Amino acid sequence: MNPNLQTLLHVQALPPRSHAFLVPSQRLGSRKFTTKRRAFSLRLCNKSFGYGSGIRSLVTRGVSEVEGEGREKEKQPVAKRAYPFHEIEPKWQRYWEENRSFRTPDEIDTSKPKFYVLDMFPYPSGAGLHVGHPLGYTATDILARFKRMQGYNVLHPMGWDAFGLPAEQYAIETGTHPKITTLRNINRFRSQLKSLGFSYDWDREISTTEPNYYKWTQWIFLQLLKRGLAYQAEVPVNWCPALGTVLANEEVVDGVSERGGHPVIRKPMRQWMLKITAYADRLLEDLDDLDWPESVKEMQRNWIGRSEGAEMEFCVLDSNGQEREIKVTVFTTRPDTIFGATYLVVAPEHVLLSSLVSTAQSKYVEEYKDLASRKSDLERTELQKEKTGVFTGCYARNPANGEAIPIWVADYVLGSYGTGAIMAVPGHDTRDYEFALKYDIPICFVVAPDDKSLSDSRKAFSGQGTIINSSNSTSGLDINGLCSKEAASKVIEWVEKTGNGKKKVNFKLRDWLFARQRYWGEPIPVIFLDETDETVPLLETELPLTLPELDDFTPTGTGEPPLSKALSWVKTTDPSSGKAAKRETSTMPQWAGSCWYYLRFMDPNNSKELVDKAKERYWSPVDVYVGGAEHAVLHLLYSRFWHKVLYDIGVVSTKEPFQCVINQGLILGEVQYLAFRDSEGNFISAEFADMLGESDQERIPEEKVVKSGDSFVLKENPKIRLLARAHKMSKSRGNVVNPDDVVSEYGADSLRLYEMFMGPLRDSKTWNTSGIEGVHRFLGRTWRLIVGSPSPDGTFKDGTVAVDEEPTMEQLRSLHRCIAKVTEEIEGTRFNTGISAMMEFLNAAYKWDKHPRLIIEAFVILLSPYAPHMAEELWLRLGHSTSLTYEPFPKANPDYLKDSTIVLPVQINGKTRGTIQVEEACTEEDAFKLALEDEKLAKYLVGKSIKKKIYVPGKILNVILDRQNVEAGVR
């Protein structure tokens, strides 16, 4: 082993955030490194220093010590590794942690630009990370490292969204307190994230389950309560008896709970609600100024669902056709179609339904209501599903034409939208048309399309057009011949004048159901007086209201939350009046803690206020927010709502929390190849499997598969086409790839690089473990280019092969083209093409005889955001005494980006025989040398006697040979 590798670098301990530097030790040996910019001595000593002070990882445990550990732990010989990542990566991770390299101090130079880059913080499950998780994390880490090098103050934190149903269910199943499993899972996640070299400021780590965090979640709730934005209401909810809790719509799939597959029913319960609808217009309008994917903004617009129309009243009729005192109010976006309303539909949960049902129909209506209660809102409004309904036995009068029209109950109308009732116009609404056909209800067409080719009496026309069949002398309404827009305005004017309705703006957005019948969540900081049931908010000085310790988290079976079992906690007194009271036993939903965590990262230890105003003004808004598209609506919408409330009360200075949102694509599991066998056990091609009906699937190993055109076939029988597919990674499918395994075999830098190289960040990609070998080879080639080839025993010499010489013009051009491309691609989050640019540079560099230090140093900095462990080690070996974390990122010089080469024709005795590529300022000597090196031209020139050369710079090179050469050529 190289003796230099047996030495340990002794480095002095440094204060947080400073850059560690090497200091002289005992003069037992010295080696001098020089660069164009600096010269210093590294003092090498044979003494081993204990793990604990100063630079520690870099210094107190030298290269040879880590090598020794690697040999004890690793079965694979060092000689077989492309480069010693098993030594480098743990060493630099310790160094970063012990020196708090990525810490963002509380007090910073606010004259510098800021960059706040944030990941949607994870829910720490027991399964730990799979290779899909680091995709977005690696992207944000590259941006964070890049911006630090550009001189920005960077805020790049990490925390845990740790309340929620999964931990509680695990606690019920195993008897383990959710706090214990949550902390265990957090430790697992944190360890995995650190093993990948992410530059998080771990001093700012937060968890939504910590009282000093959820104290401020409770404080926000109290502010909502003060402003009437939090209230209690009797609302229909998704109730899961088995889980003993209310579920959000997205947690119910096909009538059962997403977790556990338990039956879910709809039933009315008194619940806490947040009035997000009060902010609907602002949530809609402010989307325009955000740098978000247009698809996400459109999803939010659709979810908010602003629509202009009218509320109109229809008088209910008795059995004699006389008007009763009851009126059904409907909301419609098409008041111009009022004459086409041939029936009304009320939702199964409509408050007036019991008053509308006739005795003869009551049994059928009750049965229908029960069936509807078992469906989610999504199922009920699915356009493709068959429409169902029951006649109430009651009629209403159409105010426009005076006709009696039937009132039906149908589940495609939701009680939570509009008024919970609609006027059905089957001639001009597809759902109403299907329903009318099924139940033989009259269909009346009142809008004629301007394009006559669209006229079709066999289906509904839902577009705008010219109004027909819409006049009644008794009501005094005549809109025939008007266009739809004019007719709608005239109808609204008419209903307001006659007292039958009013203009109305409506939203699909519903108030946020903000209560869960669970234990593992933030306690809601209110009490209820025993005598009056009056709601009394806790005083802010009493926060946080902490969760009581419970051993039994199982559902009560009565609808009461598990917290109701903590009797001594539930029973309390009102501090103001001294009256007996009880605490709220529902808890906040998991969404609560994740609505505002980005603010707490700015000031995580503030015990006096949610966030310091000066810090918030500097860091807001989040510059780049990266996460999955599954959070495109709810999480982002709820966060925006809370932020706007905090803006209104002066806590934050910006109207929006996240300026730029990026949705990373999914990483799917490796492609699976499936073959099919018929009933006799013979392989059949995939296209015939469905036709035969009886076929068994069989998974085929990749080595037995070959690509044929656009298909995959059996290698031994190419006539058998296979089904190739990839799925989202999940334990149930058995296709989860653990990043720990990849890091162990290839290193963290290889995993980071591969995930970025797979394709554009926003696209979904398919994992292929063999694909990581390509980027691993690239890193190995980078290491050997700079450090040199390994010794026969697999070790590498100290230092590098870089030389202190001026770079050539060709080398400068290669470097600066790489700088320009990498910079542009990082800023555009096109990380895969940035890696391609570095690969091109490496290919060019391998052709050079010498590698100037200034060129290599710049390339190492370019590589560092992507592969930080290797870059740090190379930086040290290049003779630098500090981490490169805050080294300036190279800037491309435009002078080196110009293409100054030209194609020069080469003639032999006046006849053009080929061309060479030369610099514009190329001399005759260099041009002739290039011609000799050209394979095509060499056969005319090598070994020949040359009479003279005629060189016109930038135009031509003409070589005149001696006559004997010409004659020899003729013979």
Side-chain angles (χ1 to χ4, degrees), residues 442-543:
I443 299 172
C444 178
F445 293 93
V446 294
V447 182
D450 296 329
D451 183 351
K452 300 305 179 185
S453 65
L454 297 176
S455 298
D456 186 349
S457 60
R458 293 169 298 176
K459 60 182 181 180
F461 170 65
S462 57
Q464 306 273 312
T466 302
I467 304 302
I468 58 174
N469 303 324
S470 299
S471 175
N472 185 272
S473 58
T474 302
S475 66
L477 181 62
D478 181 1
I479 54 175
N480 277 333
L482 298 179
C483 69
S484 294
K485 188 174 182 180
E486 286 180 284
S489 297
K490 189 168 182 179
V491 171
I492 292 172
E493 183 182 335
W494 174 78
V495 296
E496 288 182 335
K497 183 178 179 180
T498 59
N500 288 317
K502 60 183 178 180
K503 186 175 182 178
K504 180 75 173 179
V505 174
N506 205 9
F507 296 90
K508 287 182 182 177
L509 181 67
R510 298 295 90 202
D511 281 347
W512 176 9
L513 178 62
F514 197 72
R516 296 293 184 269
Q517 286 63 51
R518 301 174 186 164
Y519 166 71
W520 194 234
E522 297 93 335
I524 295 175
V526 298
I527 59 175
F528 305 98
L529 299 182
D530 287 353
E531 291 181 0
T532 62
D533 206 31
E534 178 189 349
T535 302
V536 179
L538 260 62
L539 298 174
E540 293 178 12
T541 54
E542 295 180 326
L543 301 179

Side-chain angles (χ1 to χ4, degrees), residues 129-137 664-667 729 737 739 755 767:
L129 297 176
H130 61 63
V131 292
H133 292 110
L135 178 65
Y137 302 158
Q664 84 270 20
L666 290 174
I667 291 186
M729 288 188 182
V737 178
E755 297 221 348
W767 179 266

Side-chain angles (χ1 to χ4, degrees), residues 19 56 122 222 570 851:
H19 306 317
R56 295 177 186 158
L222 291 180
V570 173
H851 299 89

Side-chain angles (χ1 to χ4, degrees), residues 162-462:
F163 273 131
L165 187 58
E168 184 158 334
Q169 282 302 112
Y170 185 80
I172 293 170
E173 294 163 9
T174 64
T176 309
H177 197 285
K179 181 188 294 185
I180 296 172
T181 56
T182 297
L183 289 175
R184 184 169 63 217
N185 295 343
I186 286 174
N187 290 336
R188 167 88 169 126
F189 264 63
R190 187 192 304 109
S191 173
Q192 288 184 297
L193 291 176
K194 287 184 175 181
S195 76
L196 294 171
F198 296 134
S199 61
Y200 294 123
D201 179 359
W202 288 107
D203 284 2
R204 293 175 183 258
E205 179 182 5
I206 58 176
S207 169
T208 57
T209 62
E210 293 299 321
N212 60 1
Y213 177 84
Y214 68 70
K215 165 186 177 178
W216 297 105
T217 310
Q218 293 171 336
W219 182 86
I220 295 173
F221 178 85
L222 291 180
Q223 310 317 304
L224 293 164
L225 191 61
K226 285 179 188 177
R227 287 155 182 80
L229 296 171
Y231 64 95
Q232 284 191 297
E234 190 90 3
V235 293
V237 296
N238 300 313
W239 172 252
C240 179
L243 296 177
T245 188
V246 171
L247 299 178
N249 286 335
E250 65 275 8
E251 295 172 318
V252 181
V253 180
D254 297 329
V256 298
S257 62
E258 185 180 35
R259 183 173 179 84
H262 305 295
V264 176
I265 62 172
R266 296 279 287 181
K267 76 171 188 175
M269 290 183 68
R270 189 163 181 79
Q271 297 285 296
W272 281 101
M273 309 290 292
L274 298 188
K275 196 176 290 186
I276 189 174
T277 50
Y279 283 74
D281 277 319
R282 289 166 63 182
L283 289 168
L284 197 60
E285 292 163 4
D286 293 344
L287 280 171
D288 295 338
D289 299 327
L290 298 177
D291 180 15
W292 289 19
E294 194 55 42
S295 60
V296 173
K297 292 201 279 189
E298 194 57 30
M299 288 171 71
Q300 290 215 357
R301 291 187 186 107
N302 291 336
W303 190 270
I304 295 167
R306 187 182 191 276
S307 54
E308 294 185 4
E311 277 187 356
M312 293 193 280
E313 294 180 340
F314 287 68
C315 288
V316 178
L317 305 179
D318 61 21
S319 57
N320 297 318
Q322 300 300 309
E323 293 184 359
R324 297 166 57 187
E325 293 184 359
I326 301 175
K327 293 183 179 181
V328 175
T329 303
V330 305
F331 172 77
T332 178
T333 59
R334 293 295 302 272
D336 56 311
T337 64
I338 179 67
F339 282 92
T342 57
Y343 66 104
L344 298 185
V345 181
V346 297
E349 56 273 16
H350 196 283
V351 292
L352 291 178
L353 181 57
S354 59
S355 304
L356 301 176
V357 180
S358 68
T359 304
Q361 290 295 106
S362 61
K363 175 185 175 184
Y364 306 111
V365 170
E366 286 302 314
E367 289 175 352
Y368 187 78
K369 284 174 61 180
D370 183 60
L371 287 173
S373 72
R374 302 179 187 278
K375 298 179 184 178
S376 69
D377 288 354
L378 192 63
E379 290 176 274
R380 287 172 54 176
T381 54
E382 171 59 50
L383 293 177
Q384 304 304 319
K385 83 176 190 75
E386 183 182 359
K387 305 299 178 290
T388 62
V390 174
F391 176 43
T392 63
C394 186
Y395 291 81
R397 190 181 307 284
N398 185 328
N401 55 23
E403 293 181 3
I405 58 177
I407 302 175
W408 287 70
V409 55
D411 64 6
Y412 74 87
V413 175
L414 301 177
S416 59
Y417 178 69
T419 63
I422 65 165
M423 65 175 203
V425 185
H428 303 288
D429 182 275
T430 302
R431 294 181 309 169
D432 297 345
Y433 182 82
E434 293 171 357
F435 192 90
L437 282 181
K438 181 174 180 178
Y439 294 105
D440 197 24
I441 300 172
I443 299 172
C444 178
F445 293 93
V446 294
V447 182
D450 296 329
D451 183 351
K452 300 305 179 185
S453 65
L454 297 176
S455 298
D456 186 349
S457 60
R458 293 169 298 176
K459 60 182 181 180
F461 170 65
S462 57

Side-chain angles (χ1 to χ4, degrees), residues 641-714:
F641 165 46
W642 275 31
H643 190 90
K644 289 180 183 302
V645 175
L646 293 174
Y647 176 77
D648 289 348
I649 64 177
V651 175
V652 298
S653 59
T654 63
K655 292 182 179 180
E656 289 286 335
F658 316 117
Q659 183 55 39
C660 173
V661 166
I662 297 174
N663 296 135
Q664 84 270 20
L666 290 174
I667 291 186
L668 305 174
E670 294 199 70
V671 174
Q672 296 179 357
Y673 302 97
L674 299 177
F676 300 85
R677 294 184 186 269
D678 60 20
S679 57
E680 297 178 0
N682 300 312
F683 278 124
I684 57 174
S685 201
E687 62 265 32
F688 303 122
D690 288 340
M691 289 188 287
L692 292 179
E694 296 180 5
S695 59
D696 292 325
Q697 294 183 4
E698 179 179 325
R699 189 169 173 180
I700 304 298
E702 187 176 3
E703 59 270 17
K704 295 185 178 182
V705 178
V706 66
K707 200 169 191 303
S708 175
D710 293 332
S711 304
F712 292 92
V713 298
L714 276 177

